[in-house]
Amino acid sequence: MTGAPASAAGGPSPAGATGTAGASGTETGAKSARSGKIAAAAVDQASLWNIANLLTMLRLLLVPGFVALMLADGGYDPAWRSFAWAAFAVAMITDLFDGHLARTYNLVTDFGKIADPIADKAIMGAALICLSSLGDLPWWVTGVILGRELGITLLRFVVIRYGVIPASRGGKLKTLAQGIAVGMYILALTGWLATARFWVMAVAVALTVVTGLDYVRQAIVLRRQGIAERKAALEETEA
């Protein structure tokens, strides 16, 4: 017998030491959990400032600048209209890239889901309203395009309980045609280019109407399928 304490010989530790160690471990675990939550919150906060969202913010900031350039000096100065076209072109280009970047690099955020469509409609709506107010574009054209965009947006919200209406190739082609047509109207074009822009806008309006009707058809089908699936699930549950 060496007379060594039980703890030194590998025996059981005193109750007080065990309690202290347990309390220390619990406290360390709690601190780690709090640190983890803080770190996760920091990551979530930082994710807002990704490249896709920054491009969307830039597009939103371009809207008032575009309007100021478009209406500068009465709205008919070719130089100011060229600057306005440049701002509009930048907005359209960023629209092509921000959604692609968000999906490709997993940068989708709640802010982006809300702000991206708002930015798209804001720059297009500002351009159309400015052109119509200056007499360069008939108001009915502006009404058809903006009415379609707002109507489809509301329709998406109505049927979202049944599913999501995916963006179609026709919708993307419509957006491209609208961008080109409106861009041509923003510039102070003359001669055959002024005639050509009329036909480009006619194509854009036609695509706007056709794709809008197709979205309505998809919404009706989606709603019917959703109702049928819910009814079948309810009947299966009751059985």
Side-chain angles (χ1 to χ4, degrees):
M1 298 296 292
T2 60
S7 58
S13 300
T18 303
T20 303
S24 177
T26 302
E27 184 178 353
T28 302
K31 289 182 179 179
S32 298
R34 286 195 296 270
S35 299
K37 291 180 180 179
I38 294 173
V43 170
D44 291 340
Q45 184 65 24
S47 66
L48 173 66
W49 302 99
N50 61 60
I51 183 63
N53 285 346
L54 289 175
L55 289 176
T56 300
M57 294 177 194
L58 173 63
R59 199 155 71 255
L60 286 169
L61 292 174
L62 280 172
V63 175
F66 165 80
V67 173
L69 292 170
M70 189 70 184
L71 301 180
D73 199 18
Y76 297 102
D77 184 88
W80 287 114
R81 294 283 284 259
S82 296
F83 288 128
W85 176 87
F88 181 80
V90 170
M92 290 293 99
I93 291 172
T94 58
D95 180 30
L96 295 176
F97 285 103
D98 60 356
H100 174 72
L101 289 171
R103 291 187 295 270
T104 302
Y105 298 101
N106 195 26
L107 301 176
V108 177
T109 62
D110 290 338
F111 171 81
K113 292 177 183 178
I114 297 173
D116 183 63
I118 291 176
D120 297 343
K121 291 169 179 57
I123 189 66
M124 183 59 69
L128 290 168
I129 291 172
C130 285
L131 288 170
S132 293
S133 64
L134 292 171
D136 294 336
L137 191 67
W139 276 106
W140 71 264
V141 174
T142 295
V144 167
I145 294 177
L146 292 185
R148 184 268 190 198
E149 299 301 328
L150 294 175
I152 295 303
T153 300
L154 292 175
L155 187 62
R156 286 178 181 273
F157 280 111
V158 170
V159 300
I160 197 170
R161 69 181 69 179
Y162 305 109
V164 177
I165 304 176
S168 63
R169 290 185 178 180
K172 294 177 181 178
L173 184 60
K174 176 269 305 178
T175 301
L176 178 62
Q178 285 182 359
I180 295 174
V182 171
M184 293 178 73
Y185 269 87
I186 291 172
L187 290 171
L189 300 179
T190 58
W192 70 270
L193 287 174
T195 303
R197 71 183 181 182
F198 169 83
W199 293 108
V200 176
M201 181 59 77
V203 172
V205 172
L207 287 172
T208 298
V209 174
V210 171
T211 56
L213 293 175
D214 183 60
Y215 274 117
V216 172
R217 179 192 63 80
Q218 291 186 58
I220 293 173
V221 172
L222 187 64
R223 182 176 180 274
R224 287 177 178 174
Q225 290 177 346
I227 292 175
E229 290 174 359
R230 287 188 178 185
K231 184 178 180 181
L234 182 61
E235 291 176 351
E236 184 179 349
T237 302
E238 291 177 349

